[in-house]
Structures are given as structure tokens and as C-alpha cells.
Amino acid sequence: MKSLVIVESPTKAKTIKKYLPKGYVVDSSNGHIRDLPASAKEVPANIKKEKWASLGINTENGYEPLYVVSTQKKKIVKKLKDLIKEADELILATDEDREGEGISWHLREVLKPKVPVKRMVFHEITEDAIKKALTEFREIDMNLVDAQETRRIIDRLAGYTISPLLWKKIAPGLSAGRVQSVAVKLIVDRERERMRFRSGTYCDLKAVLFPESKNSQFEAEMSALNGKRLASGKDFDENTGKLKKPDAVELLSFGQAEMLKNQLLENGVWRVLQVETKEQKRSPAPPFTTSTLQQEANRKFGFSAGDTMRVAQALYEQGFITYMRTDSTFLSNQAITAARKGVESLYGPEYLSEKERRYTTKSKAAQEAHEAIRPAGNQFQTPNDTGLSGRELKLYDLIWKRTVATQMAEARIAFTNVLIEGIVTPGKTSARQNIADKTTDEGLIETHFKASGKRILFPGYFRAYVEGSDDPEAQLEDQDKPLPALKEQDTLGCKKLEAVTHETKPPARFTEATLIKFLEKEGVGRPSTYASIIGTIQDRKYAKKDGSALVPTFTAFAVTELLETHFPDVVDTHFTSEMENQLDEIAHGTYDRLSYIKSYFEGEKGLKENVEKQESQIDPAKARRINLPLEGLDGIELFVGRFGPYVQMKKGEEVVSASIPESMEPSDLTADKIKELIEISEEGPDILGRHPETGENVYMLTGRYGPYVQLGEVTESNKKPKRGSLLKGMTTEDVDLPMALKLLSLPRTLGNHPETGLEVKAGVGRFGPFILHDGKFKSLGKDDNVLDVKLDRALEVLAQQKTGGRGGGRGSASVLKELGPHPKTGDAINILDGRYGPYIKFGKKNISLPKDTDAQSFSMEQAVELIKQKTK
């Protein structure tokens, strides 16, 4: 008997093939083999005239989706159909979640097999799991298929209905999404909070004290003055910078803190008032879910959510971890046994928890795989035994440590809190008159300081894993900060005392980790979708990274304001969360999908009617206007336009406009900066002088991408005068006429190459300074100056080992992975990092990797298949 097994990817096919008996043929669908039309070109000719054709969903007939097989998938479909002709049964072994169930259903619908069809599911690709799955076939779960299809339809209705409205009212290329728009609003709201924030200032004292009978010292911070608590950050109003309850706390100025410091240093008497020690136990965190893995990988390694999912997918398909799309923290008996064995052998029996530690899923909507993300199998491979490297090793190590830690003993920590008194008695201070209002009725100056320490009594699971730390041993040292042995009434000496000024900080921007945590907490979207959502937000230029922080753009503000005003439900977290609950009910078979879709799209407050009603009421000029919470903007308006953000101010009958440089974020703007941009625009460009050869004026201007120099004016006959951007690190003050002429001379000819006789040039492009020769570019080093570089240095740069740029494009691409020789031709196959992402270099051919593919996990088999597809 011959069985055809279909999975989603070549890597998964290769791994599963090892565990199947003879007679099983394994191949892959490379994801979905069909989907809703991605463009008008994919809509069949007989459908194009239908009103609903652009949606790809028949809104006139039960919201039937229009599925099409894309051109690149037709070859895969043909191959699979040919394989079925030789098979006695078809086994669909796609992932056991909504998406995987959907892929299996689409395969059955398109391939129309005449042989029996079985559904095979497993959570890890190990020999035991595959053998067990072969004995437990089931039918395709149509409830899961309905939930996946409904989500796809709803997302298409939302995106394809609201996005065109954004194109008309704000700018082309924008998009809205059911979860995406909520996430953008969260980022924008946080930025608004930061812009409204007003800093508050408070002062206190920091002391270095020591027991008079001991040689050790410790730090303590002032907490109270004459029985009144000292003000701290939590006491200030974020919108005013003022104390919320000024009578409830003592606010010291820096001057008062300095005088108090001097008096305590000169005449202070220090003693211990109270010592309190408490022992606490710490339990390990639950094993990873999709969400917590994304958060922790972002915190520890700076991985984006997309990076994490790509690497985890590769680990799963290679058989190293269980399925990585899961809301569950449950560990199977097999996993618990494997973890406990690992703890005992690696750390000793004293580090093993007394009882098996089991976890239950708190998420009310847990609906994906049935187990947490953990190492696969009944014996966990230690990271060093896997043969993995790079990102795959990092992520596997993280998953292994977190899983093993769940079965380790609790950590025991002793926390010590000490209250200390520092007193200046009457007659002991010469500066009494300066702080008379800071003394008690008896004339005392009485201060309280607090010190805290902690000591690891038993590290327990800390030996394996500490959240947010790459090095548990180093983390243990950081945590172990004991105080010297102190008891009440002990007298202390003061070695150092300093006045410290503090400023309250605005709310932190969202990072990928904190945004994912917030979305999951609010029930918006599902963890398996967060990677693509955050990727889309950045691709659409709604946010960009500043370090790890997500910073909203001017466009994000404009789009969010329009949606808040006209489609509040679209950006409402509670509304979107409730939608997720209804989708979960469809997955459980307790809610009718058609009723849900109709209610969403054409109900009393449905999206269709709302969009039609609001479209005529939205003034494009108002939609493009941005309302930032800034003071002092009377008469000044901010807009987003076709060429980026700009400001506008009416002066008499004239309206003065000025571009906001692309490098400037909304949070960088102040009323003064905006007025400066307008003044520069109003005054016109600075004339640096005349070009010595042409006699034309050389101007200094500021545009969308920042300041630049220009030769001559824009005229009918000279629509694109020569321009030169300032080099990185330059300011307008650095540029005089000689420097401007140098910038305008780029790209400049350095001479001819001694071997080819062709010109060698130096210039600056989109990606920085470069050397150009024979149509090929090579980046200059960070220590090279493009204005001064000579021919000999350019030849050195050109002679550096080349790794094969793409089509003579910008810069030489770096090799990400060497796969080796092609099994048939013998030509080398390498994966390179190109301008538009990773690609395969095979002879003279450059073949882009599929979107969201992890280059490090891409196999020779996958590369050969991709080359075969692209070279037919």
C-alpha cells in the first residue's frame, strides 16, 4: 500500500520522512495552495464585473469566499495531483491549529482525491509522536476550518473596506486592519501620553553608612524628614509636573538638600531604628507559550516577533521542539518526566522540586496546540548536544532552560529592610536659620533613611533560568546583595552623603515585547498573529524602531485620529477582544459563522453602512491634519501629505508651509522648532555663494530628508538642479561654499582602474558612501571620507573579497549561509543577504527566498527545489 503524506514545508517533510515506514511518500504544499485574490489580476474574468469582485468575497451569496490558486502554486498543485494518482490513500499532516486545518481542507478541496483521505496530527516531530499519530487518524475539523475562514473573511472585509477610504482621504498605500489598527492606536496613545507628560523634580539624600564595629559599608536612601514622607516619583501628576497632594509629602529643593547634607555630615548622629528580615520563596515561570516566547526572545536577544517565529518554526520542523503556536502552558507527563531527569542529572537531586509541577492555561481563549513550547521527545537534548548554531541554538537554549526550570526547586531568598535615623540636635548646627521650617517643635532635624539587602539562601531554579537574563550564574551574583549584620540601636558612621536630584520619567514607549504582552492581556488578536501584525505596522510606516522602542510616525497619528473619529469600534480594544471571543466560539462549534459575518458587515452598526455613511462626511483636508498635544501652536497646523509631513501657518493673506524633515519624529516637535521651520521656509533658502564655473547661486535648503545643498534654482528648463545631501554627522553650520562645492561634485572621478581602464568614482547613495567601478558598487569603510578618498584607497576597497552583489546593485551582499555544491550540477549554492532580503546565489542566478523564510534554517533540499521551480 502506498500512502501520500502532505505537510506544509520541505523541511517538515524531510524530518517526518525519517520516522515513517516504507510505502509512505512525503511532500509539501509550501503553505496554503490557494487564497483570496491578492490583486485584480488574480480575479477570474467571469467574476471581474461583479460588484464584490474587488473584495474577493461574494457579499450577495452567503459571503462565499473566492479562492484562487496563484501562478506560483499551480506547479505545486500539479505535482501533488500527479503523486495522488500513484497513491492508495492521502494523509494530510499539516499543523493542528486553525491555519493548519484550513490548509488541509484546501488541499482536499483542490486536489479532489479519489482515494481515502485521513487527517494526521502531532505536536512534535519525533519517532514516538509520528508512530502514535499513524494510529490515531481523524477527520478534518470543520469547526476549526470555519473559524480560520471566518477570520480571513473578516480581516479582508475590514482591510478592503476601510483601506481604500484611507487612500482617498489621507494618502495612497495605507492600510487598516482588525488588529493592526488597534495596535497602532496603542502605540499612538502611548506617544500622546509622553507628549502631554510634564516632568517633576524632587531631591533626596543618598548615604554610604557603616557599622562602627564592622568594616563593611552599605547604601541607604532618605525616605522621611521630621516624620513626613519625602516626595517620590509616584507623587507627581504626569500632566502638570506638580505634586498631586502637596500637603501629604515633603518636597526638598536641591539647595535645602545640600544644607541638610552639610548639617548631617558635620553634626549628624546615626542609629538603626528597625531591622526586619523576611524569607521568600520564588517559583519558576510557566513553560513558554507563543506570546511569552516572543516577549522573552525580544528582551534577551532583541529578536523581533517575526524572527522568533521563523526560528521556532525551523526548530519545530527539524524535530527539536514541540509546535510553537500555542496558548497552552500544559506539559505532558512525558515532558515532565524528561525535565525531571534532566534536572537530577545536571544539577543534582537537591535541585529537583519535591512534587511534579503542573501548569494550567489561564487564557480563556486557549485554542491552539495542547501543550506548551518545549524540547521535543521523551529525553531533552541539551543545547550543546543538538549541533545547532546561531539563532537556532539561542532560541533552543532558551526553551530548554525554561522547560527544565519548571521542575526545579523553588529559590529561597532572604530580604532585609533596615530603617535608620539620622538626627541633628538643637545647638549642633550653624545653619539652623536656613532650614528653620524643616525642624521639629523641639528644634531637632530628624531624618529617616532606608536600606535593603537580599541574600540567596538557595538558588533553586535560578541555576538554570532567570527571566530576562542570558547568564543565570551572573544573575545570581547580581541578586545576592546582603547587608552587614545589624540590630536595633546600633550606632552607625557616615562615610559619604550626597544630595541627588531626580526627574520623573514619561511612560516608556512600547517595545515589541510589551506591545505583545498588552495585546494578549486585552485579548486583542491571537499570539500566532502578532509577528505578522507588528511586521505590517513597520512595513506600512506606522511605526519605526528607535533601539527596541516602537515610535509612531505622523501618518500613524493621522490614521488613528480618522479611525477614532469615524470608526471608533475599529480601534476599540474591548470591541476587538469580543470579536476574538466570537471567533473562538465558531471554532468550538457554538456560534454560527454566517450570522457573525452578516452582523459585522451589514448589521445595524455594520462596517459597510458605517463606511458608506462616513465617507461623504470626511473632509480630506481635515483627515490629513494631525492634532498633536503640543502647547503654543496657535495659528499653526500640521498635516501629512503626498511628500511627507508638513506644517502650515497663515500670515495675513498668505499661507506659509514648511516640510518636516523625515528624521524628525512627532515627539521631537515643539512649538519653537515648528516656528523655526516656518521662518526658514518664509525667508527662503540661504545663498552660500556662487559656483566659480557656472556663476549660479549655491543654496542651502531643508527638505523631507533633511538639509541639502543645491546648484541654481528650479526652472522650466532646469526642473532637477544638481543637489547634494549633507554627510552623516554634518550640520548646516558645517557647510560653507567650499564644502558645498565638494558635496555638489559627488560622485567624483578618482581616476581609471589600472586593469580595466574604466573610471573609478566615489559618491554617496541611499545606503551611504560608495566606490563605483564598472557598474558595481562597493561600500566605503566607516573611517573613509568620501570627499577626500584617493584612487589607491578605492582600489583597495574594490579588491576586498567579493561575495557577489545582486545584479550589480548597491554594495556586495554578505554570505548568510553556505549550502554547498548542487547535487547535480556541482555549482556552489549560497544564501546571501541582499538589499531586498535574503536570496540564493546559484551560478549567475539570484533567487529570492520566500517571504518570512529564515535563511539560517533553509536547507539544501529546499534550495534545490526553489532553483528547480525558478529555472523551468
CSV table of all heavy atoms in Angstrom, one decimal, residues 260-294:
chain,number,residue,atom,x,y,z
A,260,LEU,N,21.0,70.3,54.2
A,260,LEU,CA,20.7,69.2,55.1
A,260,LEU,C,21.9,68.2,55.1
A,260,LEU,O,22.3,67.7,56.1
A,260,LEU,CB,19.4,68.5,54.7
A,260,LEU,CG,18.8,67.4,55.6
A,260,LEU,CD1,18.6,68.0,57.0
A,260,LEU,CD2,17.5,66.9,55.0
A,261,LYS,N,22.4,68.0,54.0
A,261,LYS,CA,23.6,67.1,53.8
A,261,LYS,C,24.8,67.6,54.7
A,261,LYS,O,25.4,66.9,55.4
A,261,LYS,CB,24.0,67.0,52.4
A,261,LYS,CG,25.3,66.2,52.1
A,261,LYS,CD,25.9,66.4,50.7
A,261,LYS,CE,26.7,67.7,50.7
A,261,LYS,NZ,27.4,67.9,49.4
A,262,ASN,N,25.0,68.9,54.6
A,262,ASN,CA,26.2,69.5,55.3
A,262,ASN,C,26.0,69.4,56.8
A,262,ASN,O,26.9,69.1,57.6
A,262,ASN,CB,26.4,71.0,54.9
A,262,ASN,CG,26.8,71.1,53.5
A,262,ASN,OD1,27.5,70.2,52.9
A,262,ASN,ND2,26.5,72.2,52.9
A,263,GLN,N,24.7,69.6,57.3
A,263,GLN,CA,24.5,69.6,58.7
A,263,GLN,C,24.6,68.1,59.2
A,263,GLN,O,25.2,67.9,60.3
A,263,GLN,CB,23.1,70.1,59.0
A,263,GLN,CG,23.0,71.6,58.8
A,263,GLN,CD,21.6,72.1,58.7
A,263,GLN,OE1,20.6,71.4,58.7
A,263,GLN,NE2,21.4,73.4,58.6
A,264,LEU,N,24.1,67.1,58.4
A,264,LEU,CA,24.2,65.8,58.9
A,264,LEU,C,25.7,65.3,58.8
A,264,LEU,O,26.1,64.5,59.7
A,264,LEU,CB,23.4,64.9,57.9
A,264,LEU,CG,21.9,64.9,58.2
A,264,LEU,CD1,21.1,64.2,57.0
A,264,LEU,CD2,21.6,64.1,59.5
A,265,LEU,N,26.5,65.8,57.9
A,265,LEU,CA,27.9,65.4,57.8
A,265,LEU,C,28.6,66.0,59.0
A,265,LEU,O,29.5,65.4,59.6
A,265,LEU,CB,28.5,65.9,56.5
A,265,LEU,CG,28.2,65.0,55.3
A,265,LEU,CD1,28.8,65.7,54.0
A,265,LEU,CD2,28.8,63.6,55.4
A,266,GLU,N,28.3,67.3,59.4
A,266,GLU,CA,29.0,67.9,60.4
A,266,GLU,C,28.6,67.4,61.8
A,266,GLU,O,29.5,67.1,62.7
A,266,GLU,CB,28.7,69.4,60.4
A,266,GLU,CG,29.4,70.1,59.2
A,266,GLU,CD,28.9,71.6,59.0
A,266,GLU,OE1,28.3,72.1,60.0
A,266,GLU,OE2,29.1,72.1,57.9
A,267,ASN,N,27.3,67.3,62.0
A,267,ASN,CA,26.8,67.0,63.4
A,267,ASN,C,25.8,65.9,63.5
A,267,ASN,O,25.2,65.8,64.6
A,267,ASN,CB,26.2,68.3,64.0
A,267,ASN,CG,27.2,69.4,64.0
A,267,ASN,OD1,28.2,69.4,64.6
A,267,ASN,ND2,26.9,70.5,63.2
A,268,GLY,N,25.6,65.1,62.5
A,268,GLY,CA,24.6,64.1,62.5
A,268,GLY,C,25.0,62.9,63.4
A,268,GLY,O,26.1,62.5,63.5
A,269,VAL,N,24.0,62.3,64.0
A,269,VAL,CA,24.1,61.1,64.8
A,269,VAL,C,23.2,60.1,64.2
A,269,VAL,O,22.0,60.3,63.9
A,269,VAL,CB,23.7,61.4,66.3
A,269,VAL,CG1,23.7,60.1,67.1
A,269,VAL,CG2,24.5,62.4,66.9
A,270,TRP,N,23.8,58.9,63.9
A,270,TRP,CA,23.1,57.9,63.1
A,270,TRP,C,22.9,56.6,64.0
A,270,TRP,O,23.8,56.2,64.6
A,270,TRP,CB,23.9,57.5,61.8
A,270,TRP,CG,24.2,58.6,60.9
A,270,TRP,CD1,25.2,59.5,61.1
A,270,TRP,CD2,23.5,58.9,59.7
A,270,TRP,NE1,25.2,60.5,60.1
A,270,TRP,CE2,24.2,60.1,59.2
A,270,TRP,CE3,22.5,58.4,59.0
A,270,TRP,CZ2,23.8,60.7,58.0
A,270,TRP,CZ3,22.1,59.0,57.9
A,270,TRP,CH2,22.7,60.1,57.4
A,271,ARG,N,21.7,56.0,63.9
A,271,ARG,CA,21.5,54.8,64.6
A,271,ARG,C,20.4,54.0,63.9
A,271,ARG,O,19.6,54.5,63.1
A,271,ARG,CB,21.1,55.0,66.0
A,271,ARG,CG,19.7,55.7,66.2
A,271,ARG,CD,19.5,56.0,67.7
A,271,ARG,NE,18.2,56.7,67.9
A,271,ARG,CZ,17.1,56.1,68.3
A,271,ARG,NH1,17.1,54.9,68.6
A,271,ARG,NH2,16.0,56.8,68.5
A,272,VAL,N,20.4,52.7,64.1
A,272,VAL,CA,19.4,51.8,63.5
A,272,VAL,C,18.2,51.8,64.3
A,272,VAL,O,18.2,51.5,65.5
A,272,VAL,CB,20.0,50.3,63.4
A,272,VAL,CG1,19.0,49.4,62.9
A,272,VAL,CG2,21.3,50.3,62.6
A,273,LEU,N,17.0,52.0,63.7
A,273,LEU,CA,15.8,52.0,64.4
A,273,LEU,C,15.1,50.7,64.3
A,273,LEU,O,14.4,50.2,65.3
A,273,LEU,CB,14.8,53.1,63.8
A,273,LEU,CG,15.1,54.6,64.1
A,273,LEU,CD1,14.1,55.4,63.4
A,273,LEU,CD2,15.2,54.8,65.6
A,274,GLN,N,15.2,50.0,63.1
A,274,GLN,CA,14.4,48.8,62.9
A,274,GLN,C,15.1,47.9,61.9
A,274,GLN,O,15.6,48.4,60.9
A,274,GLN,CB,13.0,49.2,62.4
A,274,GLN,CG,12.0,48.0,62.4
A,274,GLN,CD,10.7,48.5,61.8
A,274,GLN,OE1,10.5,48.9,60.7
A,274,GLN,NE2,9.7,48.5,62.7
A,275,VAL,N,15.1,46.6,62.2
A,275,VAL,CA,15.6,45.6,61.3
A,275,VAL,C,14.5,44.6,61.0
A,275,VAL,O,14.1,44.0,62.0
A,275,VAL,CB,16.9,45.0,61.8
A,275,VAL,CG1,17.4,43.9,60.8
A,275,VAL,CG2,18.0,46.0,62.0
A,276,GLU,N,14.2,44.4,59.8
A,276,GLU,CA,13.2,43.4,59.5
A,276,GLU,C,13.7,42.4,58.4
A,276,GLU,O,14.1,42.9,57.3
A,276,GLU,CB,11.9,44.1,59.0
A,276,GLU,CG,10.7,43.1,58.8
A,276,GLU,CD,9.5,43.9,58.3
A,276,GLU,OE1,9.6,44.6,57.2
A,276,GLU,OE2,8.5,43.9,58.9
A,277,THR,N,13.7,41.1,58.7
A,277,THR,CA,14.1,40.1,57.7
A,277,THR,C,13.0,39.2,57.4
A,277,THR,O,12.4,38.6,58.3
A,277,THR,CB,15.3,39.4,58.2
A,277,THR,OG1,16.4,40.3,58.4
A,277,THR,CG2,15.8,38.3,57.2
A,278,LYS,N,12.7,39.0,56.1
A,278,LYS,CA,11.7,38.1,55.7
A,278,LYS,C,12.3,37.1,54.6
A,278,LYS,O,13.0,37.5,53.8
A,278,LYS,CB,10.5,38.9,55.0
A,278,LYS,CG,9.7,39.7,56.0
A,278,LYS,CD,8.5,40.3,55.3
A,278,LYS,CE,7.6,41.1,56.3
A,278,LYS,NZ,6.5,41.8,55.6
A,279,GLU,N,11.9,35.9,54.7
A,279,GLU,CA,12.3,34.9,53.8
A,279,GLU,C,11.2,34.7,52.8
A,279,GLU,O,10.0,34.5,53.2
A,279,GLU,CB,12.7,33.6,54.4
A,279,GLU,CG,13.2,32.6,53.5
A,279,GLU,CD,13.7,31.3,54.2
A,279,GLU,OE1,14.2,31.4,55.3
A,279,GLU,OE2,13.4,30.2,53.6
A,280,GLN,N,11.5,34.7,51.5
A,280,GLN,CA,10.5,34.5,50.4
A,280,GLN,C,10.9,33.3,49.5
A,280,GLN,O,12.1,33.1,49.4
A,280,GLN,CB,10.3,35.7,49.6
A,280,GLN,CG,9.6,36.9,50.3
A,280,GLN,CD,9.3,38.0,49.3
A,280,GLN,OE1,9.5,37.9,48.1
A,280,GLN,NE2,8.9,39.1,49.9
A,281,LYS,N,9.9,32.7,49.0
A,281,LYS,CA,10.2,31.6,48.0
A,281,LYS,C,9.7,32.1,46.6
A,281,LYS,O,8.7,32.8,46.5
A,281,LYS,CB,9.5,30.3,48.4
A,281,LYS,CG,10.0,29.7,49.7
A,281,LYS,CD,9.2,28.4,50.0
A,281,LYS,CE,9.7,27.7,51.2
A,281,LYS,NZ,9.0,26.5,51.6
A,282,ARG,N,10.5,31.8,45.6
A,282,ARG,CA,10.2,32.1,44.3
A,282,ARG,C,10.0,30.9,43.4
A,282,ARG,O,10.9,30.0,43.5
A,282,ARG,CB,11.3,33.0,43.6
A,282,ARG,CG,11.5,34.3,44.3
A,282,ARG,CD,10.5,35.4,43.8
A,282,ARG,NE,10.6,36.6,44.5
A,282,ARG,CZ,11.5,37.6,44.2
A,282,ARG,NH1,12.3,37.4,43.2
A,282,ARG,NH2,11.5,38.7,44.9
A,283,SER,N,8.9,30.8,42.7
A,283,SER,CA,8.6,29.7,41.8
A,283,SER,C,9.0,30.0,40.4
A,283,SER,O,8.9,31.2,40.0
A,283,SER,CB,7.2,29.3,41.9
A,283,SER,OG,6.9,28.9,43.3
A,284,PRO,N,9.4,29.0,39.6
A,284,PRO,CA,9.7,29.3,38.2
A,284,PRO,C,8.5,29.7,37.4
A,284,PRO,O,7.4,29.4,37.7
A,284,PRO,CB,10.3,28.0,37.7
A,284,PRO,CG,9.7,26.9,38.7
A,284,PRO,CD,9.5,27.6,40.0
A,285,ALA,N,8.8,30.4,36.3
A,285,ALA,CA,7.7,30.8,35.4
A,285,ALA,C,7.2,29.6,34.7
A,285,ALA,O,7.9,28.6,34.5
A,285,ALA,CB,8.3,31.9,34.4
A,286,PRO,N,6.0,29.7,34.2
A,286,PRO,CA,5.4,28.5,33.4
A,286,PRO,C,6.2,28.3,32.1
A,286,PRO,O,7.0,29.2,31.7
A,286,PRO,CB,4.0,29.0,33.1
A,286,PRO,CG,3.7,30.1,34.0
A,286,PRO,CD,5.0,30.8,34.3
A,287,PRO,N,6.1,27.2,31.5
A,287,PRO,CA,6.8,27.0,30.2
A,287,PRO,C,6.3,28.0,29.1
A,287,PRO,O,5.2,28.6,29.4
A,287,PRO,CB,6.5,25.5,29.8
A,287,PRO,CG,5.2,25.2,30.6
A,287,PRO,CD,5.3,26.0,31.9
A,288,PHE,N,6.9,28.1,28.0
A,288,PHE,CA,6.6,29.1,27.0
A,288,PHE,C,5.3,28.8,26.3
A,288,PHE,O,5.1,27.7,25.9
A,288,PHE,CB,7.7,29.2,26.0
A,288,PHE,CG,8.9,30.0,26.5
A,288,PHE,CD1,10.2,29.5,26.4
A,288,PHE,CD2,8.8,31.3,27.0
A,288,PHE,CE1,11.3,30.2,26.9
A,288,PHE,CE2,9.9,32.0,27.4
A,288,PHE,CZ,11.1,31.5,27.4
A,289,THR,N,4.6,29.9,26.1
A,289,THR,CA,3.5,29.9,25.0
A,289,THR,C,4.1,30.7,23.9
A,289,THR,O,5.2,31.3,24.0
A,289,THR,CB,2.3,30.6,25.6
A,289,THR,OG1,2.6,32.0,25.9
A,289,THR,CG2,1.7,29.9,26.8
A,290,THR,N,3.3,30.9,22.8
A,290,THR,CA,3.8,31.7,21.7
A,290,THR,C,4.1,33.1,22.1
A,290,THR,O,5.2,33.6,21.8
A,290,THR,CB,2.7,31.7,20.6
A,290,THR,OG1,2.4,30.4,20.2
A,290,THR,CG2,3.2,32.5,19.4
A,291,SER,N,3.2,33.7,22.9
A,291,SER,CA,3.4,35.0,23.3
A,291,SER,C,4.6,35.2,24.2
A,291,SER,O,5.4,36.1,24.0
A,291,SER,CB,2.1,35.5,24.0
A,291,SER,OG,2.3,36.7,24.7
A,292,THR,N,4.7,34.4,25.3
A,292,THR,CA,5.8,34.6,26.2
A,292,THR,C,7.2,34.3,25.6
A,292,THR,O,8.2,34.9,25.9
A,292,THR,CB,5.6,33.7,27.5
A,292,THR,OG1,5.4,32.4,27.1
A,292,THR,CG2,4.4,34.2,28.3
A,293,LEU,N,7.2,33.4,24.6
A,293,LEU,CA,8.4,33.1,23.9
A,293,LEU,C,8.8,34.4,23.1
A,293,LEU,O,10.0,34.8,23.1
A,293,LEU,CB,8.3,31.9,23.0
A,293,LEU,CG,9.5,31.6,22.2
A,293,LEU,CD1,10.7,31.2,23.1
A,293,LEU,CD2,9.2,30.4,21.2
A,294,GLN,N,7.9,35.0,22.4
A,294,GLN,CA,8.2,36.2,21.6
A,294,GLN,C,8.7,37.3,22.5
A,294,GLN,O,9.6,38.0,22.2
A,294,GLN,CB,6.9,36.6,20.9
A,294,GLN,CG,6.5,35.7,19.7
A,294,GLN,CD,5.2,36.1,19.1
A,294,GLN,OE1,4.4,36.9,19.7
A,294,GLN,NE2,4.8,35.5,18.0
